[in-house]
Amino acid sequence: MTKNTPRELFEKGLIREDQFSKIDLIISGKVVSVFYELQTLLYLGVLLFTTGVGILIYMNIGSLGHLISISALILLSIGCFYYAFKKGVAYSNESVKPVTPYFDYVVLLGALVFVSVAGYLQFQFGILNENLELVTLITSVFFFYIAYRFDHLGVLSVAITALASFWSVSISPQKWYSGTFFETANLHIVAIIFGVLVATIALVLEMRRIKMHFTFTYLNFCSLLFFAGAITGLFISAWWFVYLLLIYGGCVFAYLMAMRRKSFLFLLYAFICAYIGTTYLLEKTILRDAIEIWFLYSIFSCGGFIYFIIKFKNYFK
Amino acid sequence: MKHAYNEVNLYNLAVIKESKRWSSQGLIEEDQLKNIEQEYPCSFYHPNIIIRILLFIAALFALSGVTGFFALLFGNGGEKVLPLACLIYGVISFALLDRILINQNRHYKSGVAECILYHACGFAIVGLGWMADFNTYVVLITCLLVFSYAAFRYLDLLTTMAAIGSFAGLLFYACYEADGIFQQVIPFVFILCFGSVYVITRKLKNHNHLKFWLLNMMIVEVISLLLVYAAGNYLVVRELSINLMNLELVEGQDIPFAFLFYALTIFIPLALLYVGIKHKDVLALRVSLIAIAFTVFTFKYYYGFGHPEITLTVAGALLFSIALLLSNYLKKMRGGFTRENHLAEKWANLNLQAFIVSQTLGGNQSGAGKQTETGGGGQFGGGGSTDSF
């Protein structure tokens, strides 16, 4: 690939002249897009601002300046939503292209600030003192509304994590790594049920052709939760065989999803989880002692796997 | 010496990849993409990124099994045999990669190939270093040579980074060991050295016969720029001087040439920004953004970290407003810059972005989680998925 490639393609008649002139401008560097730079700045802006506000809001509770800043935040949130409703297009079941490059981030900012302020007001006036979990649920419902109304994948992911945390389950690989995942007993069962339920809902929504491009995000979170739950169950429960069957079932499902959607991420989940499950099964049954056997096992299982993937390379492109 | 791959295939693969980007952006039509794919056939085995990751992991396990076996066989070999065994094992790995995987089976960055490459590098370096009793010079020079070889011959990007990292390490260590005045001038040596590396690489990028190394050269460029900036950065120089060179500062005292480093901390990012805008150089532009952020951090670090939450809020508001204004300003194309997305970056995936958003912005919504015992939530409750900032 060089700067002359577009011309070469044009001369071979593979692209038309109008296409060539457009592409050549970009490849030769005469026109430079700063799209991703701007997006990154916007994202960092939202990240820093909402984090700062999230802390700031709980300091100096009650003072006059505080009242003013809370009002300012409410105004900011209203401003964001005013912009979003005024500029944004009407709701559609299809994917909607944002009207401006920063539209999505204005919506995100508005939603996060609104939830921060609402959370603070509830904390201050204790409207829902009896059941605080409800706040998380309401937050999640609000995020779902925003996600569907403005066709926002980022807010949708936040909504799903909030919904999961209402059920006390954390969808965060960083948390799992630090070992705080499923600290309460039987939470892995909740994770499995949550994963299955939400995945079912997502698939039903897809069949009704409502926001079909959201399905991937749902399924991704659901498979992460499902597999994390099932693998935890496999390791800690006496009923490990049941969890093994669950893992295999999940793998078959993920495999089918991967093939249907041409999304290899699910394939990755399926293979890794199936491997973990099978290795555990073998460890429990046949392969007990002797480190040499484990070396042989890793060589032959992984080598065989690589051979399999390459053999069917047209299938796993 | 040249790279290990078939040139026609390499070029065709690059054309196909680029055409796919054009097609996904609607610049050309599906049929045209099909025609291009037929016109530029490529027989490499180069699967998509997920399969590559999968194959990499599998190859890693398989290789650790193989290594384990050899360890059992040669484990008692002792100090004399083991280094040589490592070296031979590494060289054999290189040979297998070259002859069988790349030449016969036409693997091109297939996951398996990378895994064997890193494995081979690792054993070659350990073997050679061990022979010299892990003398720092020998290790650093071996790293530099082996990584450069891997980067050059296999067009690998990770080893390119490792190679330039080892070069920087070698340079630093040499000056550090030389003692006296040399320790003082390390920052200037770095600026001069990597500044020239940057300039040379930029020139080399225009050579047609080096086109297959374009990505490697871009990485060298970015890392050189970052190193130039870091070498002139006040915070880096000060902390390294204190920690490594036992510089002791009493209250009110400053590092030698402090004013110079302050100036460089401010000047380098601005110069990069200027170069980036003037020459429409996206790499310089991106590095300058990172550098500006670190410059702000440097000054905050020494002059008041008092109210992080206010800093965060103000910085966030500023960034957001600047991005909004710039975005509006670039509504029309100005000086060749546009806010529209021309070609999707390889790593820019909407689903990935959404995942990042949910992992970083999920929290700080409500105080609710603070009191719920079962809440898997973070410090700021609710979302349960926040980093603790």
Side-chain angles (χ1 to χ4, degrees), chain A residues 225-257:
Chain A
L225 264 189
F226 177 86
F227 284 126
I231 289 174
T232 312
L234 181 73
F235 285 132
I236 62 171
S237 167
W239 294 79
W240 59 270
F241 200 73
V242 178
Y243 288 103
L244 187 66
L245 290 180
L246 273 177
I247 291 177
Y248 283 149
C251 288
V252 171
F253 175 77
Y255 178 78
L256 291 176
M257 283 297 123

Side-chain angles (χ1 to χ4, degrees), chain A residues 38-271:
Chain A
L38 289 174
Q39 297 276 305
T40 313
L41 284 185
L42 286 167
Y43 164 73
L44 287 177
V46 173
L47 174 70
L48 296 179
F49 184 76
T50 51
T51 312
V53 162
I55 307 169
L56 207 57
I57 210 167
Y58 290 97
M59 302 174 88
N60 313 314
I61 291 178
S63 70
L64 182 67
H66 193 61
L67 211 63
I68 295 172
S69 54
I70 294 290
S71 319
L73 285 180
I74 295 176
L75 281 180
L76 174 67
S77 175
I78 292 175
C80 288
F81 283 120
Y82 176 74
Y83 173 83
F85 276 105
K86 193 165 167 250
K87 283 273 167 128
V89 268
Y91 173 79
S92 150
N93 276 342
E94 306 294 317
S95 155
V96 177
K97 216 168 171 272
V99 279
T100 52
Y102 46 82
F103 183 81
D104 278 357
Y105 287 92
V106 174
V107 172
L108 187 63
L109 181 69
L112 289 173
V113 169
F114 178 81
V115 168
S116 286
V117 173
Y120 165 76
L121 290 179
Q122 125 73 25
F123 176 76
Q124 183 78 320
F125 299 109
I127 307 158
L128 290 167
N129 257 345
E130 297 295 308
N131 18 10
L132 282 167
E133 296 93 341
L134 260 184
V135 181
T136 324
L137 186 62
I138 295 169
T139 307
S140 149
V141 170
F142 169 74
F143 278 138
F144 272 115
Y145 167 71
I146 297 292
Y148 275 85
R149 173 63 186 80
F150 297 111
D151 194 58
H152 203 304
L153 268 179
V155 174
L156 180 74
S157 324
V158 179
I160 299 171
T161 38
L163 185 64
S165 80
F166 172 68
W167 297 103
S168 314
V169 185
S170 147
I171 312 186
S172 164
Q174 306 146 8
K175 286 259 161 50
W176 303 345
Y177 178 71
S178 60
T180 47
F181 180 51
F182 302 149
E183 60 251 311
T184 329
N186 295 332
L187 216 50
H188 57 278
I189 299 176
V190 180
I192 292 172
I193 295 170
F194 180 88
V196 173
L197 271 183
V198 176
T200 317
I201 295 171
L203 288 177
V204 170
L205 282 175
E206 190 186 54
M207 276 200 292
R208 302 218 164 157
R209 314 198 132 263
I210 299 172
K211 295 282 187 205
M212 288 166 74
H213 58 296
F214 279 8
T215 317
F216 177 88
T217 305
Y218 277 115
L219 289 183
N220 185 23
F221 280 115
C222 290
S223 9
L224 278 176
L225 264 189
F226 177 86
F227 284 126
I231 289 174
T232 312
L234 181 73
F235 285 132
I236 62 171
S237 167
W239 294 79
W240 59 270
F241 200 73
V242 178
Y243 288 103
L244 187 66
L245 290 180
L246 273 177
I247 291 177
Y248 283 149
C251 288
V252 171
F253 175 77
Y255 178 78
L256 291 176
M257 283 297 123
M259 285 300 135
R260 216 175 84 191
R261 284 162 206 284
K262 301 246 176 296
S263 162
F264 289 91
L265 187 63
F266 294 117
L267 199 68
L268 183 72
Y269 295 158
F271 278 132

Side-chain angles (χ1 to χ4, degrees), chain B residues 49-66:
Chain B
I49 184 74
I50 303 272
I51 299 283
R52 277 170 67 190
I53 295 172
L54 203 56
L55 286 177
F56 186 87
I57 299 171
L60 200 63
F61 275 106
L63 280 178
S64 53
V66 175

Side-chain angles (χ1 to χ4, degrees), chain A residues 2 5 8 19 30-34 36-37 43 56 58 102 115-116 165 171 174 216 264 268 298 302 317, chain B residues 11 32 40 48 50 54 58 65 211 280 286 309 328 336 338 340 342 351 359-360 364-365 367 382 387:
Chain A
T2 63
T5 305
E8 186 184 317
Q19 293 169 329
K30 286 196 187 93
V31 174
V32 174
S33 161
V34 284
Y36 289 106
E37 285 75 11
Y43 164 73
L56 207 57
Y58 290 97
Y102 46 82
V115 168
S116 286
S165 80
I171 312 186
Q174 306 146 8
F216 177 88
F264 289 91
L268 183 72
S298 79
C302 291
K317 257 181 195 162
Chain B
Y11 181 71
Q32 291 176 311
Y40 290 88
N48 73 60
I50 303 272
L54 203 56
K211 63 187 171 199
K280 283 187 236 164
R286 286 182 184 167
E309 67 283 352
N328 268 333
T338 169
E340 302 305 330
H342 282 150
N351 288 307
Q359 294 299 302
T360 50
N364 56 35
Q365 307 138 346
D387 283 319

